[in-house]
Structure formats: structure tokens, C-alpha cells
């Protein structure tokens, strides 16, 4: 019997998937699955967070994450404040914590925060007054827990809930990817035993982070038997000098095209968190092809964020 999310101890924040445990992760996925029919509009759930206020506080740009948190909050009936960092007093030197405290004083209960610095959202959570929920929408290269949950939900929908039988390959700039780190946290806790990481040497994470994974630099040789392929964007903004490969050379060695997809298990699905750079890490024929689950990921993101907001706000 799956554990219902209502029966597990409520989390004060969602900062990372690391350490949540398989039962809690499955319970959050079950809650998101149940919300899926309501997630894409006209929900009839607008009483759930009526009178509650959620704030998007994004210090880095975003399309999917920011919009889907906004829609998730609104479809549950919350008031949503889309805080404009660039036009705020943050540009006059006010700290993120003072900003958060001011917004808290206006009645904001949950903050969805994206920040370029590793650990920045956890630091805000540690300093915030009790009763303030922090949701990490991506910090540096460290964590992106709701992306991890939506990736797991998409895999579960397409491939079933027994992760121990699946082979998952993450390819690309794994070193700088918070998406990959959250995926690794989640996959390990759900019992996935065949996790493969493929990256050029300069974009491979440190050895300690690869515990329990097989890893290599030659993509073709790692594709056999793979059920799930996750491609990642080159995080040029997080790379030190000298690590940035040319787009053409990168596509040649690590781009997911139809020839490579055919080397995976028939029916394998392709994931990409977006934003996609077509012709760099993924070919259009794959991104838009029948094995692509990219838009399922996006749709699942709304349901996952509804489930997480409802859980953290105890609604
Ligand atoms: C990613 C992010 O910001 O970490 N996108 C997302 O949230 N869907 C990945 C990226 O920027 O490459």
C-alpha cells in the first residue's frame, strides 16, 4: 500500500530530495498524480489555498519553473506575488533575507526561490521565522527538487513504479546541473540500480557524487538497454574558463540524435528539463519525436508543484 502524503510528517520546507526517503517521495508523486486531472486548468480546487499567499522570488531567469509554480498556486486558489527582483530594492543593496522578512510581514507564507548560489535557499530557510515555507526552485548547481519530482513522475507514468528494473542514463553537463543532482537523489532513493552518467571529462561530477552510478565519456557504448535518457543543457553560466566546448563538437560527441536513440532499448523515453538548445544537446527529430516525454515533464510540473504547495502549507 502506498503511503498517503497526508499521513506523513509535514515538511517545513522543500530544499532537496536528498534524505526524504522513498516512501515520502512516492507519497508526493501519488499526490501529484491525483492532482494531474486538475492541474491544467478549471480545477474546482480553488478553495484549497484560498486566502494563502505564495511569492515567486527568482534571482535567475526561468520559463517553466516560475510559470508552473504560478499556475499551481493560482489553480489552488492562492494569491500569487510575482516579485520582480530587478526592479526591487535588492538593486539598492537590500539583502535577500530583509526582502523576505518584509514580504513575510505582508502575509506571504511560502516563498519559491531560485538563486545562483549553492545553499542560498537553505540559508534563507534557516533564517526565516517559523511558519515560513521555502521551496527551492534551483540553487546554483546543487538542488532542484521539484524538477526531480516531475522527472520521477514522468518516468513512473511511462515505465511503471518499479525503479529497480530501470536503466537511466543522464548525459551532458552533469557537473553543473542541479537537475541531474536532484534526479540522482530521487532515483537512488526509489531503488534505481542502473544509473549511468555520461559526460566529457571536464563536465563530469566529482567521483564522490557518482557513488553507485556507472560513468563514462563515450555515449554510444553506454546506450544499450537504457529505458530513460535525460539530456541536459550546457550550463555555460556556471562553467569555469576553459570548460566550454564548441556546440558542433559537443553535438557530435554527446548530442542525442535518432541514430543514438535507436541504440537504447526500444520504447525508451527522452527527458530534457528545458531550456533546450536544439542541435547542441538534442536534435529536433528527437525532441519532437514519438519517444520524447519533454512536454509530459512540463505538464507534470504543474501537478507536482500543486502537491508540494498543498503539503507545505498544510492544506
Ligand atoms: C533548469 C534549471 O534552471 O535548472 N531548467 C528548469 O528548471 N526546467 C535547467 C537549465 O537551466 O538548463
Amino acid at each position: 500500500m502506498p503511503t498517503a502524503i497526508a499521513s506523513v510528517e509535514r515538511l517545513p520546507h522543500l530544499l532537496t530530495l536528498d534524505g526524504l526517503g522513498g516512501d515520502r517521495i512516492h507519497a508526493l508523486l501519488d499526490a501529484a498524480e491525483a492532482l494531474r486531472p486538475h492541474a491544467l486548468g478549471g480545477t474546482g480546487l480553488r478553495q484549497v489555498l484560498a486566502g494563502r499567499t505564495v511569492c515567486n522570488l527568482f534571482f535567475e531567469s526561468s520559463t517553466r519553473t516560475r510559470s508552473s509554480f504560478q499556475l499551481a498556486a493560482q489553480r489552488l486558489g492562492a494569491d500569487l506575488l510575482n516579485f520582480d527582483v530587478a526592479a526591487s530594492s535588492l538593486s539598492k543593496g537590500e539583502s535577500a533575507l530583509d526582502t523576505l522578512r518584509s514580504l513575510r510581514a505582508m502575509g506571504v507564507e511560502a516563498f519559491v526561490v531560485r538563486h545562483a548560489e549553492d545553499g542560498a535557499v537553505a540559508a534563507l530557510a534557516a533564517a526565516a521565522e517559523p511558519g515560513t515555507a521555502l521551496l527551492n526552485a534551483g540553487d546554483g548547481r546543487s538542488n532542484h527538487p521539484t524538477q526531480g519530482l516531475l522527472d520521477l513522475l514522468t518516468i513512473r507514468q511511462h515505465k511503471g513504479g518499479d525503479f529497480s528494473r530501470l536503466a537511466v542514463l543522464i548525459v551532458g553537463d552533469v557537473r553543473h546541473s542541479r537537475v541531474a543532482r536532484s534526479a540522482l537523489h530521487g532515483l537512488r532513493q526509489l531503488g534505481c540500480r542502473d544509473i549511468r552518467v555520461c559526460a566529457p571529462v571536464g563536465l563530469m561530477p566529482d567521483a564522490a557524487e557518482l557513488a553507485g552510478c556507472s560513468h563514462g565519456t563515450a555515449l554510444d557504448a553506454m546506450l544499450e538497454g537504457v529505458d530513460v535518457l535525460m539530456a541536459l543543457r550546457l550550463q555555460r553560466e556556471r562553467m569555469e574558463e576553459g570548460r566550454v566546448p564548441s556546440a558542433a563538437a559537443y553535438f557530435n560527441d554527446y548530442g542525442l540524435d535518432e541514430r543514438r536513440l535507436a541504440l537504447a532499448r526500444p520504447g525508451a523515453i527522452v527527458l530534457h528539463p528545458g531550456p533546450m538548445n536544439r542541435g547542441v544537446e538534442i536534435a529536433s527529430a528527437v525532441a519532437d519525436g514519438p519517444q520524447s516525454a519533454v512536454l509530459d515533464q512540463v505538464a507534470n510540473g504543474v501537478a507536482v508543484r500543486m502537491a508540494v504547495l498543498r503539503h507545505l502549507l498544510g492544506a
Side-chain angles (χ1 to χ4, degrees):
M1 254 317 260
T3 317
I5 192 64
S7 68
V8 299
E9 192 195 338
R10 183 148 69 90
L11 296 165
H13 310 287
L14 182 64
L15 303 173
T16 177
L17 295 186
D18 199 16
L20 283 192
D23 283 353
R24 195 194 295 267
I25 291 174
H26 269 304
L28 281 167
L29 299 181
D30 292 343
E33 185 72 58
L35 284 164
R36 225 179 102 90
H38 307 277
L40 302 181
T43 69
L45 295 177
R46 293 186 199 264
Q47 286 310 309
V48 173
L49 293 181
R52 318 290 294 272
T53 308
V54 176
C55 176
N56 269 338
L57 191 52
F58 278 59
F59 295 86
E60 278 192 338
S61 54
S62 170
T63 295
R64 281 149 290 269
T65 307
R66 183 183 177 118
S67 307
S68 75
F69 265 114
Q70 172 167 353
L71 292 172
Q74 289 172 335
R75 287 172 181 167
L76 291 172
D79 291 330
L80 187 279
L81 176 62
N82 251 324
F83 188 79
D84 185 347
V85 167
S88 75
S89 291
L90 286 152
S91 65
K92 300 181 191 169
E94 186 166 27
S95 72
L97 183 58
D98 282 332
T99 304
L100 187 134
R101 284 187 174 138
S102 293
L103 297 169
R104 177 77 184 103
M106 298 179 204
V108 176
E109 291 176 81
F111 291 88
V112 179
V113 184
R114 169 168 286 186
H115 203 286
E117 256 172 59
D118 298 288
V121 188
L124 284 173
E129 65 180 90
T132 314
L134 271 291
L135 291 86
N136 187 352
D139 66 315
R141 53 167 88 176
S142 295
N143 288 284
H144 193 347
T146 56
Q147 178 72 40
L149 291 171
L150 74 87
D151 290 339
L152 295 170
L153 184 60
T154 307
I155 295 171
R156 211 176 74 159
Q157 280 166 350
H158 283 268
K159 298 289 167 196
D162 185 357
F163 282 75
S164 71
R165 297 161 60 94
L166 296 179
V168 179
L169 171 70
I170 304 178
V171 54
D173 182 5
V174 184
R175 183 175 185 81
H176 300 101
S177 176
R178 54 197 177 206
V179 174
R181 286 192 174 73
S182 282
L184 289 172
H185 292 152
L187 289 167
R188 287 190 180 112
Q189 290 176 93
L190 296 191
C192 186
R193 290 193 297 235
D194 186 351
I195 308 176
R196 310 179 194 181
V197 170
C198 180
V201 174
L203 302 180
M204 187 70 86
D206 294 337
E209 294 194 275
L210 292 167
C213 304
S214 54
H215 60 278
T217 55
L219 178 54
D220 287 9
M222 297 182 75
L223 285 162
E224 193 184 336
V226 165
D227 300 288
V228 179
L229 284 128
M230 179 186 288
L232 300 168
R233 182 178 67 88
L234 289 170
Q235 308 272 302
R236 296 181 191 278
E237 70 275 28
R238 298 184 220 291
M239 288 181 198
E240 303 99 73
E241 292 277 314
R243 288 201 196 247
V244 188
S246 89
Y250 184 82
F251 185 71
N252 191 50
D253 292 344
Y254 296 99
L256 270 188
D257 58 11
E258 287 176 297
R259 181 191 67 78
R260 288 200 164 114
L261 182 54
L263 299 176
R265 199 188 292 280
I269 58 164
V270 175
L271 305 181
H272 191 301
M276 287 191 284
N277 289 138
R278 292 165 182 260
V280 182
E281 69 269 7
I282 193 164
S284 279
V286 172
D288 305 329
Q291 288 165 263
S292 171
V294 170
L295 294 178
D296 295 336
Q297 291 174 274
V298 178
N300 282 331
V302 181
V304 158
R305 286 159 183 139
M306 286 171 82
V308 167
L309 282 169
R310 197 176 62 173
H311 176 68
L312 293 186
L313 289 172

